[in-house]
Amino acid sequence: MWKRLVRAVLPPSVALAMSVLLTGLVTSVSAQGGVTGDWEIQLSTQTGITTWQARFEQDGDRLGGEIDLGDNEVLSVDGSIDGAMLTFVIVVPDLDGDQPINFEGVLEGDSITGAEGSFSWYGTGDWTASRK
Amino acid sequence: MRNRLAGMLTCVVLVVGSLVWFTEDGRAAEGDIRGTITSSSGPEAGVWVIAETTDLPTKFIKSVVTDDDGRYLIPELPEASYTVWVRGYGLLDSSGVTAEPGATVDIQATVAPTAVEAARVYPANYWYSLIEPPAPSEFPGTGPDGNGIATNLEHQGQWVDIQKQGCMLCHQLGNRIIRQIDNLDQFDSTLAAWDHRVKMGQRGSQMTNVMSRFGRERGLQMFADWSDRVAAGAVPPAPPRPRGVERNVVISMWEWGTEVDYIHDEIATDKRNPRVNANGPIYGVNISNDELAILDPVTHLATNLKIPLRVDPETVPGMIARSMPEPSRFWGEDLVWNDPANPHNPMMDAKGRVWMTSAIRNRANPDYCKEGSDNPYATYFPLENGFRSAVFYEPETQKFVMVDTCYGTHHLQFAEDDNDTLYFSGGGQVVGWLDTKLYDETGDEQRSQGWCPTVLDTSGDGKISMPWNEPDRRGGYENFDTNLDTRVVVGSYGIIGDPTDDKAVWISSTRFPGRLARLHVGDNPPETCVTEMYEVPSVLDPNVPKDQTGFGSRGIDIDRSGVVWTALSGSSHFASFDRSKCAVTSGPTVADGRHCVDGWTLYPTPGPVVQGTDPPLRADYHYYNWVDQWNTLGLGANVPIANGSNSDSLLALNPDTGEWTVLRVPYPQGFFARGLDGRIDDPNAGWKGRGVWATYGEAATWHIEGGKGVRPGIVKFQVRPNPLAN
């Protein structure tokens, strides 16, 4: 709830930074447990809700793994972890050139709250993830 | 421009005055400007004389080439005041002379005093030949803790393929704005400047990702080293001046669209009948801002129409990001592109209607496309999502009609059949089609469409049967069964119907090293659909000699006898594929597509070789290609033409001799050709009644010579009998 308040009144980048600080206080124990595991990602954009299945693998400050978009597309995750903050990119192959999609989010226990972003033709909005 | 200003200081211009010139039959040759170009070296042969005007409703430029004696004639100029000037390899750009049709304008040009000054007008591929990719011996890459090359790059060709199909996919490399860094003083190093410039604007996310595919630091270093060498005075070899029939080329260019429009492709006529839409408008699709660009070449009027969607455009995300890692150096944080429809490719039918691949809704398909539907195609191979559908524009009613398709669309081509079947690439897992005759009769988009997955007859029984071997999600196969047929994900990019078989359609794949596939739909699709696949001979096939390898298929077209042509954008070859040379087309040996190397013939395209490449890889890029089946250009029927997208040109090949005719657009530089087609306006008017049309398809229009404020162009190529014909 507090993060929604922060995001409602501040620009996305500032809101995300404050969320990192606040979340760091609240979830440091969870963060130490790592992000490795199976997750369900939900994009909430102007197209509605899009659900993907993910397998994250944390190696120190590196974040890898895969995201299954359905449609026979399984994409590699390439990113990093700094405290509770995750950043990663997936690249959707396309005939007009590979379309990278960038994600930023904050780990809080068994959930991730993502920052607003532009997710190519999946739309503009925000995202969340929950551990399965 | 700096070059032209320098020329203004030194050249001497002689205007003989307005004279009325008469042709042999006594007609007054109104509309011509003619004269002679000389320099301190004497008559200047093979240089361009350019006439440009802003007096018409849209900016108009016409260019011709001088003959052996330095004479020129610019024919058929509409009444207007023109600035006439000279550009040629080895010269400085001349200053402009104001003249009107009927005038004779002799120009004294100035020889470039240095190699650097001469090279300013060389095409982008010449400058790009100075770049140095890692040597073949450095592959496979060993990653950031090794040689910096990404570990998945096993061959030098794969690296060069990223340079081509990663970077040149969108814009030229080697043109002035890329090879030079105008704001270098804002950065600590050239590498830092490159690191920043690939993050700029709405395509920043895509560009920076491409850089990472090389192995980021190593890729940045290659580009930074190249820019440093250029800044230090490195000069590429001089291109040859136009010669022979190249001096007979007449180039007309009209601006259309706006200064931020990325007009991807054009269409002038029906590929099956180049007399359709004679003297009519030329249509282009503006992929970045969802408009249909229209040029009337008779009135010189350029207009735009907004392409609609079936749903609120605000609810449909476009392909191009609505954010940017770093502000654009040209547009700041302005989001100049908004493309929910993302129209990609137009094609004209026999009625003069303009069909295009364009999104009309979000990706999720309607239920009739999905599993559980009783639609026969969905039952055979259900489709959950599709990106882009079909839209056509009716000039008579000035209305757009949208046709929802279950399959995604990218390029489109009409078959030469009774139903005017329109085939589409871009379906990902499938090739789709629309029976336009049935659609016109019924308006039923569900009944009018069909699609098939691409499945090879690896069992060799002459038909496709379920179950088949399924590709895993990474493109390989688990538990491959030689007794089964095999589904392949070709990744259909280009598409063309086969004029020798109205139930066959060919597609091309851009995935390294490139593939062609032939889908035959049979008499009762989807059950009768059978696919064949043919991989471009490449370093991946140990049985192919290195000097006979290539990679990078993208465009595709076919001649009237069924020989397929694909320009290899990566290795810079024009490749033909003749299926009649294949001894085997089915059975267990066809699964990898390497069973008919004999069907391929590769012709190296003209232009300089990228330094340090082995086998030699040329610095040009071929976004697409086309076959002039009906001799609309004047070089003969069935002449294959590759886009010289990094060389401001179209490249026509004589397959019998291997000789090339380079049709170069001298001005403005930045002619990045994507779509092209040819039309015959009057079959009795000789060269004047026909021509080939092509777009300036540079994604970033502000990269074109002249910079921010320049608008994209639509170009008409004509070949006359001699350099002075009118």
Side-chain angles (χ1 to χ4, degrees):
Chain A
M1 179 61 73
W2 53 266
K3 285 185 293 186
R4 291 184 186 279
L5 287 173
V6 168
R7 294 173 66 178
V9 299
L10 293 174
S13 58
V14 177
L16 186 68
M18 287 196 64
S19 295
V20 171
L21 291 173
L22 294 169
T23 303
L25 296 173
V26 175
T27 64
S28 58
V29 175
S30 298
Q32 287 168 6
V35 72
T36 298
D38 295 326
W39 295 76
E40 183 172 275
I41 295 175
Q42 284 199 334
L43 299 184
S44 177
T45 72
Q46 73 267 46
T47 71
I49 302 294
T50 302
T51 302
W52 295 336
Q53 308 304 316
R55 169 75 185 173
F56 286 138
E57 294 170 1
Q58 181 176 355
D59 179 11
D61 61 357
R62 301 302 306 165
L63 178 62
E66 293 179 334
I67 294 180
D68 185 345
L69 305 189
D71 288 346
N72 291 295
E73 291 285 4
V74 178
L75 305 178
S76 296
V77 171
D78 182 17
S80 62
I81 301 175
D82 183 5
M85 186 164 181
L86 301 82
T87 60
F88 62 91
V89 61
I90 60 172
V91 181
V92 183
D94 182 69
L95 299 167
D96 283 317
D98 292 346
Q99 306 295 323
I101 301 178
N102 296 290
F103 294 84
E104 292 181 344
V106 177
L107 176 66
E108 183 183 5
D110 291 334
S111 66
I112 301 171
T113 301
E116 289 181 11
S118 179
F119 309 120
S120 187
W121 48 65
Y122 294 95
T124 299
D126 55 22
W127 65 281
T128 60
S130 55
R131 197 185 295 268
K132 293 167 63 177
Chain B
M1 181 57 73
R2 191 187 316 162
N3 202 12
R4 292 183 63 188
L5 290 173
M8 288 179 66
L9 299 175
T10 54
C11 84
V12 177
V13 177
L14 176 62
V15 181
V16 176
S18 295
L19 301 174
V20 177
W21 193 279
F22 293 91
T23 58
E24 288 179 357
D25 63 2
R27 288 183 298 109
E30 295 286 343
D32 299 345
I33 293 177
R34 65 184 67 203
T36 303
I37 309 302
T38 54
S39 73
S40 57
S41 301
E44 288 289 352
V47 300
W48 289 279
V49 186
I50 298 162
E52 55 181 316
T53 182
T54 56
D55 286 356
L56 302 173
T58 192
K59 183 172 181 178
F60 178 71
I61 303 171
K62 202 156 199 172
S63 308
V64 298
V65 186
T66 55
D67 70 359
D68 289 348
D69 299 318
R71 298 177 299 174
Y72 74 92
L73 185 148
I74 310 175
E76 295 192 298
L77 285 168
E79 203 62 38
S81 177
Y82 292 86
T83 301
V84 182
W85 58 283
V86 178
R87 167 169 286 178
Y89 301 140
L91 302 178
L92 298 179
D93 282 354
S94 79
S95 59
V97 180
T98 302
E100 296 182 354
T104 295
V105 179
D106 295 338
I107 297 178
Q108 178 78 18
T110 302
V111 175
T114 67
V116 170
E117 288 171 281
R120 284 180 181 145
V121 296
Y122 293 174
N125 60 325
Y126 280 79
W127 286 99
Y128 199 55
S129 70
L130 298 176
I131 204 163
E132 293 181 5
S137 60
E138 293 196 74
F139 293 87
T142 53
D145 298 326
N147 63 10
I149 299 170
T151 54
N152 64 330
L153 300 181
E154 299 182 357
H155 307 279
Q156 187 190 48
Q158 290 171 301
W159 174 287
V160 173
D161 199 46
I162 298 173
Q163 292 179 245
K164 301 285 190 79
Q165 298 204 70
C167 304
M168 288 190 206
L169 175 74
C170 293
H171 57 76
Q172 289 188 344
L173 291 175
N175 51 0
R176 196 207 66 78
I177 202 166
I178 300 295
R179 67 178 183 259
Q180 296 179 6
I181 303 176
D182 292 336
N183 59 343
L184 187 59
D185 58 349
Q186 298 174 17
F187 301 94
D188 294 336
S189 65
T190 313
L191 190 145
W194 268 97
D195 183 56
H196 178 266
R197 72 192 322 204
V198 298
K199 297 173 184 170
M200 291 194 307
Q202 286 177 261
R203 288 297 224 182
S205 203
Q206 185 178 5
M207 288 192 291
T208 197
N209 176 71
V210 169
M211 195 60 67
S212 296
R213 288 170 55 195
F214 291 113
R216 186 178 184 80
E217 291 300 313
R218 189 67 193 267
L220 289 169
Q221 194 65 59
M222 175 186 70
F223 285 102
D225 289 347
W226 173 56
S227 287
D228 284 341
R229 280 197 300 280
V230 170
V235 174
R241 286 184 177 181
R243 51 195 163 195
V245 72
E246 293 169 351
R247 294 183 181 170
N248 302 349
V249 175
V250 178
I251 293 173
S252 305
M253 195 214 81
W254 295 258
E255 285 192 346
W256 61 353
T258 76
E259 61 184 355
V260 297
D261 287 348
Y262 165 14
I263 299 181
H264 193 284
D265 277 349
E266 64 72 42
I267 195 70
T269 189
D270 183 345
K271 182 175 179 63
R272 303 164 297 177
N273 176 8
R275 293 283 291 121
V276 171
N277 193 38
N279 296 302
I282 313 300
Y283 298 92
V285 284
N286 174 356
I287 193 172
S288 65
N289 281 312
D290 292 359
E291 290 187 327
L292 184 67
I294 304 172
L295 171 80
D296 183 335
V298 176
T299 63
H300 313 286
L301 184 64
T303 54
N304 296 300
L305 294 173
K306 196 70 175 177
I307 298 173
L309 290 84
R310 216 172 242 185
V311 300
D312 179 358
E314 293 296 320
T315 66
V316 179
M319 180 187 73
I320 301 171
R322 301 289 292 161
S323 61
M324 56 187 78
E326 297 285 350
S328 165
R329 188 160 66 85
F330 303 90
W331 306 102
E333 295 184 346
D334 289 350
L335 299 173
V336 297
W337 289 334
N338 185 21
D339 65 327
N342 197 243
H344 180 267
N345 187 218
M347 208 55 59
M348 187 171 285
D349 68 13
K351 300 173 182 174
R353 299 180 300 185
V354 182
W355 291 77
M356 64 199 86
T357 51
S358 191
I360 64 173
R361 58 165 168 80
N362 277 304
R363 293 168 65 87
N365 275 341
D367 288 343
Y368 75 86
C369 309
K370 299 179 181 176
E371 191 165 4
S373 162
D374 60 1
N375 179 295
Y377 296 97
T379 302
Y380 191 74
F381 197 84
L383 295 171
E384 295 294 314
N385 294 295
F387 177 58
R388 294 197 193 95
S389 287
V391 173
F392 64 87
Y393 173 70
E394 290 181 309
E396 283 189 9
T397 62
Q398 299 185 351
K399 290 182 178 175
F400 290 90
V401 177
M402 289 168 272
V403 184
D404 199 345
T405 62
C406 298
Y407 45 83
T409 67
H410 203 76
H411 286 96
L412 69 174
Q413 287 284 358
F414 284 96
E416 297 186 28
D417 64 2
D418 294 337
N419 295 339
D420 284 327
T421 304
L422 183 55
Y423 284 95
F424 298 90
S425 69
Q429 315 281 319
V430 303
V431 174
W433 62 86
L434 185 75
D435 180 338
T436 63
K437 180 182 177 186
L438 180 60
Y439 180 78
D440 283 343
E441 292 171 351
T442 66
D444 187 335
E445 61 192 14
Q446 295 186 33
R447 279 181 55 210
S448 303
Q449 67 177 293
W451 64 89
C452 273
T454 44
V455 186
L456 309 178
D457 176 20
T458 48
S459 69
D461 63 358
K463 63 183 189 304
I464 301 300
S465 306
M466 292 183 179
W468 49 56
N469 291 306
E470 276 286 345
D472 68 24
R473 291 184 170 185
R474 291 169 188 80
Y477 292 89
E478 295 175 357
N479 305 316
F480 186 85
D481 186 339
T482 56
N483 295 313
L484 300 181
D485 297 322
T486 302
R487 187 169 75 85
V488 289
V489 181
V490 181
S492 63
Y493 173 74
I495 192 162
I496 189 67
D498 190 334
T500 67
D501 186 336
D502 64 11
K503 295 184 184 304
V505 60
W506 289 83
I507 57 177
S508 60
S509 166
T510 62
R511 298 181 184 180
F512 189 90
R515 291 170 188 82
L516 302 179
R518 177 182 184 268
L519 171 70
H520 197 280
V521 300
D523 294 325
N524 187 34
E527 285 81 4
T528 54
C529 287
V530 179
T531 299
E532 301 165 12
M533 184 173 72
Y534 302 96
E535 186 176 273
V536 173
S538 80
V539 293
L540 301 186
D541 184 347
N543 297 317
V544 178
K546 188 172 69 173
D547 63 355
Q548 296 174 29
T549 62
F551 58 90
S553 57
R554 293 185 54 82
I556 188 170
D557 205 352
I558 196 166
D559 69 18
R560 299 303 300 170
S561 65
V563 173
V564 179
W565 287 87
T566 181
L568 303 182
S569 62
S571 59
S572 287
H573 293 89
F574 210 170
S576 68
F577 182 75
D578 185 350
R579 180 174 176 268
S580 69
K581 295 180 179 177
C582 300
V584 176
T585 58
S586 64
T589 62
V590 306
D592 61 7
R594 297 174 185 168
H595 55 287
C596 188
V597 172
D598 290 344
W600 291 93
T601 306
L602 273 57
Y603 303 84
T605 56
V609 169
V610 176
Q611 293 186 10
T613 53
D614 182 26
L617 304 173
R618 282 159 184 78
D620 207 346
Y621 177 67
H622 315 298
Y623 185 87
Y624 215 82
N625 60 270
W626 180 75
V627 174
D628 189 6
Q629 296 181 353
W630 310 108
N631 190 24
T632 62
L633 183 58
L635 295 178
N638 284 319
V639 168
I641 299 176
N643 297 12
S645 305
N646 201 39
S647 61
D648 293 331
S649 67
L650 299 180
L651 309 169
L653 173 67
N654 181 335
D656 295 331
T657 64
E659 293 179 352
W660 293 91
T661 300
V662 178
L663 300 98
R664 183 103 63 204
V665 179
Y667 170 80
Q669 291 191 305
F671 172 63
F672 184 101
R674 293 183 195 263
L676 71 159
D677 77 327
R679 186 170 77 189
I680 298 176
D681 292 322
D682 181 352
N684 300 315
W687 70 271
K688 292 183 179 179
R690 56 189 65 211
V692 165
W693 297 82
T695 48
Y696 270 70
E698 182 83 31
T701 297
W702 48 96
H703 287 194
I704 297 171
E705 182 180 4
K708 186 177 179 181
V710 167
R711 296 158 63 206
I714 173 75
V715 183
K716 182 181 185 182
F717 295 83
Q718 295 173 286
V719 178
R720 50 186 171 172
N722 62 73
L724 302 180
N726 65 347

